[in-house]
Amino acid sequence: MNLKNEVEIDQAFAGGVAWASDFGLGLSGTYTYSERTKTDVKYGGDDDTSWTLNATYDIEALSLAAMYSDYDFSGDKQTGIGAMARYDLPMGVGLYGIYDYVDYDTDNNKLDQYTVGADYWLNDSVVSYAEYADMSYDKQSSNGNTFQDDSAFTIGMRVYF
């Protein structure tokens, strides 16, 4: 099958480090690199790089997390930050809120996304959830790309193996 927008990778590597303390703090970082077999038509690059820095903190039933990321997808550059807070109630219910911010550097646009939700663990492997997310862009169109504000209410189940 020959796909029009198929991305073929010539070579790639990734690395990461993680550290966890005895008092609830965790830190991690990753770096990835891949080289495409062809130059991207729109942005002119032929390699993808990304790196992320993460911090987590758990204290009893409360979990906090933050992330910073920097991506360059063949010349299409993006940076982002994220933050999450979660509280687990004793009866298997978790309540959470997430904020994501993405700066589409190449497209001169910004995204703000908020998510709130709740989940319920049916057993050790299955969780049901309901969440609401709202995303809004600074500009609906930039650099020839169209960006759509959106919101969604989602319900579902996840199975962990």
Side-chain angles (χ1 to χ4, degrees), residues 14-15 18 21-22 34 37 48-49 52 62 68 76 85 91 93 96 107 112 123 132 135 150:
S21 73
D22 292 337
S34 62
T37 56
D48 301 331
T49 59
T52 61
L62 178 65
Y68 176 83
D76 182 10
M91 72 281 286
V93 173
Y96 55 90
D107 288 323
D112 283 298
N123 60 42
Y132 173 79
M135 57 189 264
D150 199 5

Side-chain angles (χ1 to χ4, degrees), residues 7 21 30-31 46 76 78-79 83 101 114 131 152 157 159:
V7 175
S21 73
T30 60
Y31 177 79
D46 68 352
D76 182 10
Q78 304 170 18
T79 54
Y101 170 84
Y114 301 89
E131 64 183 31
M157 296 182 83
V159 176

Side-chain angles (χ1 to χ4, degrees), residues 39-50:
T39 301
D40 183 89
V41 175
K42 185 170 183 178
Y43 297 107
D46 68 352
D47 61 352
D48 301 331
T49 59
S50 70

Side-chain angles (χ1 to χ4, degrees), residues 86 94 96 115-122 126-132 153-160:
R86 176 183 176 88
Y96 55 90
T115 305
V116 294
D119 55 27
Y120 176 69
W121 287 87
L122 300 168
V126 180
V127 62
S128 61
Y129 66 92
E131 64 183 31
Y132 173 79
F153 178 73
T154 308
I155 58 173
M157 296 182 83
R158 291 187 291 270
V159 176
Y160 296 95

Side-chain angles (χ1 to χ4, degrees), residues 18-159:
W19 172 80
S21 73
D22 292 337
F23 54 89
L25 178 65
L27 302 172
S28 64
T30 60
Y31 177 79
T32 64
Y33 171 84
S34 62
E35 185 175 305
R36 298 181 184 204
T37 56
K38 297 178 184 173
T39 301
D40 183 89
V41 175
K42 185 170 183 178
Y43 297 107
D46 68 352
D47 61 352
D48 301 331
T49 59
S50 70
W51 60 272
T52 61
L53 300 173
N54 304 286
T56 60
Y57 186 70
D58 295 319
I59 182 167
E60 297 182 21
L62 178 65
S63 299
L64 304 171
M67 179 195 73
Y68 176 83
S69 60
D70 184 78
Y71 301 97
D72 183 343
F73 300 119
S74 294
D76 182 10
K77 298 180 180 182
Q78 304 170 18
T79 54
I81 59 169
M84 183 275 303
R86 176 183 176 88
Y87 188 79
D88 290 316
L89 300 167
M91 72 281 286
V93 173
L95 305 173
Y96 55 90
I98 304 166
Y99 171 71
D100 291 305
Y101 170 84
V102 179
D103 187 342
Y104 295 87
D105 301 320
T106 307
D107 288 323
N108 191 29
N109 206 347
K110 295 170 180 48
L111 165 69
D112 283 298
Q113 180 169 321
Y114 301 89
T115 305
V116 294
D119 55 27
Y120 176 69
W121 287 87
L122 300 168
N123 60 42
D124 289 341
S125 302
V126 180
V127 62
S128 61
Y129 66 92
E131 64 183 31
Y132 173 79
D134 182 74
M135 57 189 264
S136 60
Y137 289 92
D138 189 36
K139 301 175 186 173
Q140 296 302 300
S141 179
S142 58
N143 279 353
N145 288 330
T146 300
F147 298 91
Q148 299 277 328
D149 291 350
D150 199 5
S151 62
F153 178 73
T154 308
I155 58 173
M157 296 182 83
R158 291 187 291 270
V159 176

